Amino acid sequence: MRGAFGRLFGTTGGPGSAGGRTTPGGADGVDDDVSGLRNVVDALQRNMPGAGDFSFEGIQQLGNPVPMPVSNGGTELLELWLEPFGQDYWLQPGERFTVTSYGEWTGSPFETVHEPGRIQVWAASFFATVSFDDGTEVPGGHQRPREDYYED
């Protein structure tokens, strides 16, 4: 998570940091933390009034859609983890979803990190949807494997 989260918040894990968190007075300095936090606050201030709510349709009202297809080219189930709200979606081998960012942001609309069994996508605008190829909403937790998330 350090890649997406770190670049967005200015905590890249470089010199002067510990475990990806910026240390005061380090080479990347406190100013990087403040600048990264400003990016987050700015995106929220610009986008919250236009979103209305966090529904699929409410987010789409923000306009400025930037789609990013996400495919599972592997042979196993793949988790798509959407941040900043931490929602999971699961892709079968050969399946494709589209993550679309809406609203305004600073820099890139997405940061993406690949981990074993997971693709993590951070929407810099804080407002994104996940849809099937036909444009309909993929519900959160779609195809979530029961054994990994629930106790018997």
Side-chain angles (χ1 to χ4, degrees):
M1 183 157 115
R2 191 165 81 183
F5 188 76
R7 283 189 294 278
L8 189 66
F9 284 94
T11 57
T12 60
S17 65
R21 300 209 33 99
T22 302
T23 56
D28 43 0
V30 174
D31 288 341
D32 287 344
D33 279 345
V34 172
S35 175
L37 185 56
R38 273 194 207 110
N39 288 344
V40 171
V41 171
D42 288 347
L44 285 170
Q45 287 177 334
R46 285 185 300 215
N47 294 319
M48 282 296 291
D53 60 39
F54 289 101
S55 70
F56 189 72
E57 295 79 12
I59 291 171
Q60 290 174 326
Q61 290 177 10
L62 287 169
N64 194 28
V66 176
M68 179 180 66
V70 176
S71 301
N72 182 357
T75 59
E76 309 252 334
L77 193 62
L78 178 68
E79 181 181 20
L80 167 62
W81 186 261
L82 182 62
E83 290 286 4
F85 297 110
Q87 184 60 62
D88 63 320
Y89 307 85
W90 295 81
L91 294 93
Q92 295 291 336
E95 193 169 26
R96 181 176 82 167
F97 298 155
T98 300
V99 178
T100 304
S101 182
Y102 293 89
E104 299 178 28
W105 53 84
T106 301
S108 299
F110 300 107
E111 291 284 343
T112 306
V113 175
H114 177 258
E115 300 169 354
R118 172 189 285 175
I119 294 179
Q120 179 184 12
V121 176
W122 183 285
S125 70
F126 276 69
F127 293 92
T129 60
V130 179
S131 58
F132 294 105
D133 283 341
D134 67 1
T136 59
E137 178 179 15
V138 176
H142 179 69
Q143 303 181 131
R144 179 187 297 140
R146 181 172 173 76
E147 64 275 4
D148 290 344
Y149 285 86
Y150 300 100
E151 294 181 23
D152 291 329

